[in-house]
């Protein structure tokens, strides 16, 4: 049974659109339609303390995500204002420590905007840092239907993020994006949109471009979120999708072999739908895997977070329900 461990009064003045933990789960960032990002740190007693709060964009902030700590304390955010912002934490100054000592608290962290990415012609819906073995790369998807990939060529200077790749996800706009974290397979991205189909791209090294290798048809309405599971040495990939059609689906993608990738069309995938859940009975907005890719969490308009896990027969079932109230 799951229970509420903490209830956090964020003082955001509008809807909170995203909550993101850092790699260690000791820091948390929230973003809101009030155009602010807040950063929280867990103290030694397990309580969350606000350590930074700033206006980040000129419109609602949809998503915020952390880069791997190997690259420092780096955040990315995307917004209705059609931009993506890259933020880096600076060490607190002596004045900050003196001010904190006088007030009896912790010094507030300083987050500095290193650059803004302004290529999108519409609201930027989702952002995702690539797995760390690929370097410091960021994928974005926008209402203009484009998927864009940027890379920090010098991780010591985060002011320069050239656009490395740009390709069309869907003419009506993309909603969500996810990297395949496997280091044993060519780079792979999944993206969802108002189109019920989920598209999967793979980077083709010979042609040095991204190509579509699969389109997953199964949902009956817009796809709100996609999430690849951590690989953990599997010979196949797991992808979870959440949709306006009130379902969560889990897909098994099995590469057919090395020879297919060399043929010019990318890796051929055998696709199997492992699970199709309708337990929320309402629109499902987010899906997220645990660190081993064995438990899937989903959240929906029914006000619950549901946890799904495969049993000993490899059948997926709901193992816990967390109610928001």
């Amino acid at each position: 049974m799951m229970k509420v461990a903490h209830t956090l009064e964020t003082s955001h003045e509008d809807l909170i659109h995203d909550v993101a933990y850092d790699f260690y789960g000791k820091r948390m960032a929230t973003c809101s339609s009030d155009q602010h990002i807040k950063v929280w740190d867990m103290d030694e007693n397990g309580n969350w303390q606000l350590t930074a709060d700033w206006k980040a964009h000129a419109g609602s902030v949809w998503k915020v995500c952390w880069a791997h700590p190997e690259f420092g304390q780096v955040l990315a955010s995307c917004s209705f204002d059609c931009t993506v912002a890259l933020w880096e934490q600076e060490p607190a100054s002596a004045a900050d420590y003196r001010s904190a000592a006088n007030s009896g608290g912790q010094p507030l962290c300083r987050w500095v905007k290193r650059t803004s990415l302004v290529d999108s012609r519409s609201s930027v819906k989702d952002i995702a840092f690539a797995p760390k073995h690929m370097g410091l790369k960021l994928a974005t998807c926008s209402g203009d239907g484009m998927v864009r990939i940027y890379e920090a060529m010098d991780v010591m200077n985060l002011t320069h993020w050239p656009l490395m790749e740009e390709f069309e996800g869907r003419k009506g706009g993309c909603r969500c994006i996810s990297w395949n974290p496997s280091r044993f397979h060519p780079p792979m991205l999944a993206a969802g949109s108002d189109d019920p189909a989920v598209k999967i791209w793979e980077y083709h090294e010979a042609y040095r471009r991204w190509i579509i290798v699969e389109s997953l048809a199964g949902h009956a309405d817009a796809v709100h979120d996609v999430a690849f599971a951590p690989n953990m040495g599997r010979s196949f990939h797991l992808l979870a999708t959440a949709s306006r059609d009130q379902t969560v689906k889990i897909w098994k993608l099995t590469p057919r072999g090395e020879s297919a990738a060399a043929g010019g069309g990318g890796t051929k995938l055998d696709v199997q739908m492992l699970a199709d859940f309708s337990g929320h009975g309402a629109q499902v907005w987010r899906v997220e895997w645990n660190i081993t890719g064995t438990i899937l969490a989903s959240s929906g308009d029914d006000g619950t977070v549901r946890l799904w896990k495969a049993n000993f027969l490899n059948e997926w079932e709901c193992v816990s329900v967390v109610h928001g109230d």
Side-chain angles (χ1 to χ4, degrees), residues 175-197:
R175 284 179 170 267
C176 50
I177 197 163
S178 177
W179 292 89
N180 185 347
S182 173
R183 63 169 61 240
F184 306 110
H185 189 277
M188 183 181 285
L189 278 169
S193 64
D194 287 336
D195 187 327

Side-chain angles (χ1 to χ4, degrees), residues 16 59 74 85 129 134 142 145 162 244:
I16 298 172
V74 179
F129 281 106
M134 293 178 58
S142 309
R244 186 188 291 162

Side-chain angles (χ1 to χ4, degrees), residues 185-254:
H185 189 277
M188 183 181 285
L189 278 169
S193 64
D194 287 336
D195 187 327
V198 175
K199 293 183 178 179
I200 299 176
W201 288 267
E202 180 183 273
Y203 186 72
H204 198 289
E205 190 64 43
Y207 295 146
R208 302 187 69 81
R209 63 184 177 90
W210 290 81
I211 58 175
I212 293 181
V213 292
E214 196 62 64
S215 182
L216 307 179
H219 285 292
D221 211 330
V223 177
H224 288 155
D225 199 18
V226 292
F228 273 108
N231 184 262
M232 301 302 291
R234 298 187 186 95
S235 60
F236 55 87
H237 314 300
L238 291 179
L239 178 71
T241 57
S243 173
R244 186 188 291 162
D245 68 7
Q246 306 185 3
T247 68
V248 175
K249 300 184 190 299
I250 299 176
W251 309 81
K252 179 181 179 181
L253 310 176
T254 306

Side-chain angles (χ1 to χ4, degrees), residues 65-68 71-77 84-88 112-119 127-130 134-140 148-165 179:
C65 65
W66 297 84
H68 191 277
F71 305 111
Q73 295 299 306
V74 179
L75 277 171
S77 59
V84 175
L86 276 302
W87 309 89
E88 185 175 25
V112 178
K113 183 192 285 188
R114 294 306 186 196
T115 192
S116 287
L117 310 178
V118 296
D119 298 284
I127 49 178
F129 281 106
M134 293 178 58
L136 190 51
K137 294 182 179 181
L138 182 72
T140 73
R148 297 178 174 90
I149 300 174
Y150 301 85
E151 183 174 8
M153 305 306 290
D154 180 1
V155 297
M156 303 303 293
N157 177 15
L158 298 183
T159 60
H160 187 48
W161 288 74
L163 177 62
M164 306 301 290
E165 305 283 347
W179 292 89

Side-chain angles (χ1 to χ4, degrees), residues 276-299:
D276 183 359
F277 312 125
S278 56
H280 283 282
Q283 292 189 57
V284 189
W285 288 98
R286 296 295 295 273
V287 281
E288 189 73 37
W289 294 92
N290 68 342
I291 196 169
T292 57
T294 55
I295 298 176
L296 177 70
S298 62
S299 63

